[in-house]
Amino acid sequence: MPNQPLPNPAEQLGAIVSQLYELAGNSAVPGGQRQALFLKAHNRRGDLNELVAMQFTNETAAYQSVMASLDKVTAALNQAEQSIQNVTDVVNGAGQLAAAIDNLLQERSEEH
């Protein structure tokens, strides 16, 4: 009886490549990091092309290592995207605070 095919890591890697490109294009990420993310995305896209054509039937240590690494990178990317959103929220909140303070100061100066 032949071994059943295992999930191909290409699907998860495709999502990672997409997230890397998204982060590389995010202006909230410092320029040097954006460039590094772009290069990582480009290189992993090459890996993706190779994995798509493969079929995995043996859960070897190398396969398990790739799957574990994919899970770790996916979690790290999700956390990084959340952190960027948190920073963006803080910046937006600080801008709203500045506008509110300006309004308050203007109101006070009009009273006097």
Side-chain angles (χ1 to χ4, degrees), residues 1-79:
M1 182 166 163
N3 292 339
Q4 294 296 319
L6 297 170
N8 189 314
E11 182 177 344
Q12 193 171 356
L13 182 57
I16 287 172
V17 168
S18 178
Q19 285 181 287
L20 287 170
Y21 277 123
E22 286 177 24
L23 285 172
N26 189 322
S27 62
V29 176
Q33 290 178 344
R34 285 197 320 260
Q35 181 64 24
L37 287 164
F38 178 80
L39 290 173
K40 294 292 184 190
H42 183 74
N43 291 337
R44 296 301 68 80
R45 186 178 68 184
D47 294 339
L48 177 61
N49 290 334
E50 292 184 34
L51 287 175
V52 167
M54 299 177 125
Q55 184 175 26
F56 299 91
T57 55
N58 295 319
E59 195 166 335
T60 64
Y63 176 86
Q64 290 174 347
S65 177
V66 165
M67 296 306 285
S69 292
L70 286 169
D71 289 341
K72 286 179 185 175
V73 170
T74 298
L77 281 169
N78 291 339
Q79 187 174 22

Side-chain angles (χ1 to χ4, degrees), residues 52-111:
V52 167
M54 299 177 125
Q55 184 175 26
F56 299 91
T57 55
N58 295 319
E59 195 166 335
T60 64
Y63 176 86
Q64 290 174 347
S65 177
V66 165
M67 296 306 285
S69 292
L70 286 169
D71 289 341
K72 286 179 185 175
V73 170
T74 298
L77 281 169
N78 291 339
Q79 187 174 22
E81 287 179 345
Q82 184 60 44
S83 294
I84 289 172
Q85 183 58 49
N86 291 345
V87 169
T88 301
D89 290 347
V90 167
V91 170
N92 290 339
Q96 292 170 349
L97 175 60
I101 290 170
D102 287 345
N103 287 339
L104 178 63
L105 293 175
Q106 184 177 5
E107 180 182 89
R108 292 289 292 168
S109 68
E110 290 173 359
E111 289 178 1

